Amino acid sequence: MTPSLVGGLEPPYYTAVFTSIRPDDPEGYAETSARMNELVRDIPGFLGYESARTPGGIGITVAYFRDLEGIAAWRSHPEHLAAKEYGREHWYDSYRVHIGKVERTYGHDRH
């Protein structure tokens, strides 16, 4: 799969930036992550996401939403709540969530 970046979004929109520290490949994480990826796509206002992880265990996921209501819907989704609770107990050494409003965006793609 060729990596790609989320683009073509018309501001304003919002980001939920999830930064974390966890061990590499903890048991059950990949399956839960795939399920969360399926679920978030059905949240009204979800626009896409980008994710990266360092070999040392630092991960960053940026999810893009049209509005704060979409972020709130995702934050309170029952399966997402259960995954967060399980993650705090079993996977994450620490994490932070940062919510931001994007007022301007630009980029470059070499073809």
Side-chain angles (χ1 to χ4, degrees):
M1 181 170 93
T2 302
S4 64
L5 300 175
V6 173
L9 304 179
E10 186 65 36
Y13 55 91
Y14 291 84
T15 59
V17 181
F18 178 75
T19 57
S20 65
I21 299 174
R22 68 165 172 79
D24 288 335
D25 201 28
E27 185 177 337
Y29 184 85
E31 296 83 3
T32 301
S33 179
R35 176 65 179 152
M36 295 302 105
N37 183 31
E38 290 173 18
L39 291 175
V40 73
R41 293 176 187 281
D42 292 333
I43 297 293
F46 175 71
L47 302 171
Y49 77 96
E50 299 157 332
S51 191
R53 179 160 297 281
T54 69
I58 296 174
I60 301 172
T61 298
V62 182
Y64 301 93
F65 292 85
R66 177 57 48 208
D67 48 41
L68 291 173
E69 292 80 12
I71 292 174
W74 178 236
R75 183 180 63 235
S76 63
H77 187 284
E79 281 190 67
H80 187 217
L81 287 171
K84 288 190 292 187
E85 183 177 333
Y86 189 87
R88 282 191 293 271
E89 294 293 323
H90 299 279
W91 296 324
Y92 297 108
D93 294 333
S94 64
Y95 71 83
R96 302 291 183 268
V97 177
H98 310 274
I99 306 299
K101 181 179 182 180
V102 176
E103 296 180 354
R104 183 171 170 245
T105 185
Y106 60 91
H108 167 76
D109 295 309
R110 184 183 346 199
H111 297 288

